[in-house]
Amino acid sequence: DLVINYSWDRIDWTEEDETENYFDTYYYIGGSHTVSLTAYTKRFFNVFVPGGGLAEDYHEDYLTLGFAMGNQFALNIGGSISNNDFSQDPRKLGFVEFILKFRNHEVILFNGGERGGLICSSGICQERPTFEGTRVIMFSRF
């Protein structure tokens, strides 16, 4: 089975105006194996420069390729590029992420770079900085 999703959104409630094009597709190989591809782009315009004035528009483009095996593990490889001249973040970031799943637990091993920005989850939004390095996270559900 093949599932394809596309969405477009315009966000005007941040300091700069933003549009997002989001595309993801999932290909189910049998009952427990999945291959996924996620690509999205964020375009920012009416950007204010620290010190005054408007900057040129810029974009951030993201691509992630994933493979999952049911409730056992998932592997994601991806990255992003940006042409924002006013950011100290690298123009190119890449990552590898491995998720190992147990009954009520998950261990996430992440190595590489993850672009920061406004991150929203479960209705809560926060500004997160760009991350570069290795992190290990363990989730336990009770």
Side-chain angles (χ1 to χ4, degrees), residues 6-7 19-21 28-29 33 39 41 50 54 64 78 86 91 97 100 102 104 107-108 112-113 119 124 131 138-139:
Y6 172 78
S7 66
T19 59
E20 289 184 1
N21 287 289
Y28 297 95
I29 307 168
H33 297 74
T41 183
L54 285 174
T64 303
F86 296 97
R91 289 189 177 267
E97 178 182 56
L100 187 58
F102 302 102
N104 295 328
V107 176
I108 302 171
I119 307 295
I124 298 172
F131 175 82
M138 181 167 176
F139 286 111

Side-chain angles (χ1 to χ4, degrees), residues 22-107:
Y22 187 89
F23 170 82
D24 64 12
T25 184
Y26 300 90
Y27 182 69
Y28 297 95
I29 307 168
S32 65
H33 297 74
T34 307
V35 175
S36 63
L37 175 71
T38 302
Y40 64 99
T41 183
K42 294 181 177 185
R43 304 283 181 216
F44 299 90
F45 48 98
N46 297 330
V47 179
F48 289 99
V49 178
L54 285 174
E56 290 187 24
D57 302 346
Y58 70 93
H59 67 85
E60 295 175 354
D61 299 322
Y62 301 81
L63 182 65
T64 303
L65 178 62
F67 175 77
M69 188 169 158
N71 285 330
Q72 296 176 353
F73 74 89
L75 175 66
N76 297 304
I77 300 170
S80 64
I81 60 171
S82 176
N83 69 343
N84 185 354
D85 292 331
F86 296 97
S87 174
Q88 295 178 353
D89 296 343
R91 289 189 177 267
K92 297 178 184 178
L93 290 170
F95 70 88
V96 175
E97 178 182 56
F98 183 72
I99 303 169
L100 187 58
K101 300 177 181 183
F102 302 102
R103 289 183 181 176
N104 295 328
H105 310 288
E106 286 183 22
V107 176

